[in-house]
Amino acid sequence: MAIFTADRLTVFATAAYVRLGVPGADAALLADTLVHADLAGHQSHGIMRTFWYGDRFETGATKAVTKMSFILDAGGIAVLDGEDGIGQVVTERAMQSAVARARQHGIGAVSVRNSGHFGTAMYFTRMAAAAGCIGFLSTNASPAMAPWGGREKRVGNNPWSIAAPAGRFSPMVLDIANTAVARGKLYLARQRREAIPEAWAIDADGNATLDPALGIAGNILPMAGHKGYAISVMMDVLSGVLSGSGFGEMVTGPYQADKRSGVGHLAMAIDIGKCRPLAEFEADMETMIGRLKSAPKSPGVAEIFYPGEIEARNVERYRREGIKIPEDTLADLNANAKRIGIEPLA
């Protein structure tokens, strides 16, 4: 493992994307989303993905220069066409627009078509929370799991996030995929040469596996059995079918460099102040968190956490201590840096 500061990783990824034709501000945003995932403790969505996106710029599957347009503006609701641009750039615009619409109408929703993979959903729902709103974001994704009872990939993990301000506490944030685990964690386990838990995936023949490579080739299992499968399908309704984007097997993930994504999202914001005074809401959030954390603990449990608290603590910790990068990831990043002519990490 090698250790780097968040700033060093951000500078590296930004330089890579600028070299690949991404405008400076968009490159910085994309780099920041990756590094924030590492800081939060979700390395499966972190700097290891730098050239997964970069490869798509080089093939033209994702346009390095994002040009998006609103094709419907109906006040509290809108439809945004990402025009095959960078998912993070499109989603930031969608969430900013949802918040602005919520300011005017109490609730704002932006349905997004023809976007791409946007990294962690919490990066964007936290924007809404910082603006005094409750934020919601869903997306569809390339097929990762079989329909309940099936053996062939037909359903994405289709993650979603909700975030809310919490007064003196860091925001309460839920960010989950509907598979037992995000697919990126299998890629990370493969890079680390680690086995995966039996409940994560099945191989192509439908058998449980501890080998991340066989799990990637096979199917990731849904969370909570049939419930996770059903939730994932409904998130595709909200993200893909509603927006007029791709859905199901029509969606391509960042793991394939040469096919357009066809990803859809739904970004929503609720202006808390339109429902009740924000200060009263935040006071009740503080009370809720206090009651959650003060509950009697099960044997062996040192502390109870509320949703998003662990990630918030991780951000503080890894900003102090630096971010550990696996050797295989570092080798891949440096090889690609040399290939495109930027300074390697080490």
Side-chain angles (χ1 to χ4, degrees):
M1 291 277 188
I3 300 176
F4 298 92
T5 65
D7 288 346
R8 177 70 187 99
L9 294 177
T10 303
V11 167
F12 171 83
T14 302
Y17 293 136
V18 169
R19 178 58 60 91
L20 294 172
V22 180
D26 292 353
L29 170 65
L30 179 49
D32 190 57
T33 65
L34 295 176
V35 176
H36 186 271
D38 280 317
L39 286 169
H42 298 297
Q43 285 197 301
S44 60
H45 286 64
I47 199 74
M48 68 176 283
R49 290 178 177 245
T50 300
F51 291 98
W52 296 8
Y53 296 117
D55 289 346
R56 294 183 57 80
F57 300 145
E58 292 189 86
T59 66
T62 298
K63 295 177 182 176
V65 179
T66 301
K67 296 179 180 179
M68 56 193 131
S69 58
F70 283 97
I71 59 175
L72 172 71
D73 186 339
I77 193 166
V79 179
L80 176 64
D81 191 334
E83 301 182 21
D84 296 320
I86 299 169
Q88 286 85 342
V89 177
V90 175
T91 307
E92 180 189 51
R93 177 72 179 278
M95 187 56 75
Q96 289 173 341
S97 180
V99 169
R101 293 168 193 279
R103 288 276 184 265
Q104 185 174 359
H105 303 285
I107 186 168
V110 178
S111 183
V112 181
R113 64 175 64 166
N114 301 324
S115 184
H117 191 275
F118 57 43
T120 60
M122 68 180 289
Y123 185 92
F124 303 98
T125 55
R126 284 174 59 94
M127 292 178 178
C133 294
I134 294 175
F136 170 85
L137 177 63
S138 67
T139 186
N140 56 13
S142 58
M145 61 182 173
W148 186 245
R151 289 193 297 122
E152 186 175 286
K153 291 186 181 77
R154 297 291 175 88
V155 184
N157 62 10
N158 302 344
W160 50 288
S161 175
I162 301 172
R168 62 185 175 87
F169 295 102
S170 58
M172 184 177 286
V173 185
L174 169 71
D175 183 348
I176 58 171
N178 299 300
T179 42
V181 64
R183 180 164 38 189
K185 293 188 183 297
L186 273 72
Y187 283 93
L188 184 62
R190 186 177 66 179
Q191 284 199 342
R192 291 177 172 176
R193 299 183 175 90
E194 296 174 349
I196 59 174
E198 187 173 345
W200 280 15
I202 55 176
D203 64 20
D205 295 322
N207 301 309
T209 181
L210 305 182
D211 185 333
L214 292 179
I216 291 167
N219 288 276
I220 301 176
L221 293 168
M223 68 170 185
H226 66 283
K227 297 178 183 179
Y229 153 67
I231 293 171
S232 204
V233 170
M234 295 308 296
M235 289 301 162
D236 205 356
V237 173
L238 289 176
S239 305
V241 181
L242 177 64
S243 67
S245 201
F247 55 88
E249 296 154 283
M250 299 161 61
V251 177
T252 298
Y255 317 98
Q256 293 178 268
D258 59 347
K259 295 182 180 179
R260 64 181 297 268
S261 290
V263 172
H265 320 307
L266 178 63
M268 295 178 60
I270 299 172
D271 187 345
I272 296 165
K274 294 289 196 298
C275 297
R276 60 183 302 206
L278 178 60
E280 292 181 6
F281 174 89
E282 291 186 333
D284 281 349
M285 289 294 290
E286 291 176 1
T287 299
M288 172 186 278
I289 290 171
R291 292 183 63 81
L292 292 172
K293 294 182 69 64
S294 65
K297 302 175 187 64
S298 298
V301 173
E303 184 178 2
I304 293 171
F305 298 98
Y306 68 90
E309 183 178 10
I310 292 175
E311 286 82 359
R313 290 192 186 182
N314 283 340
V315 170
E316 294 180 0
R317 174 187 172 188
Y318 294 129
R319 284 203 185 278
R320 290 194 313 268
E321 299 178 2
I323 297 168
K324 294 180 180 179
I325 303 299
E327 293 299 330
D328 283 1
T329 300
L330 181 60
D332 175 70
L333 294 172
N334 284 336
N336 277 288
K338 181 179 180 181
R339 178 178 62 81
I340 67 172
I342 65 167
E343 182 182 351
L345 276 170

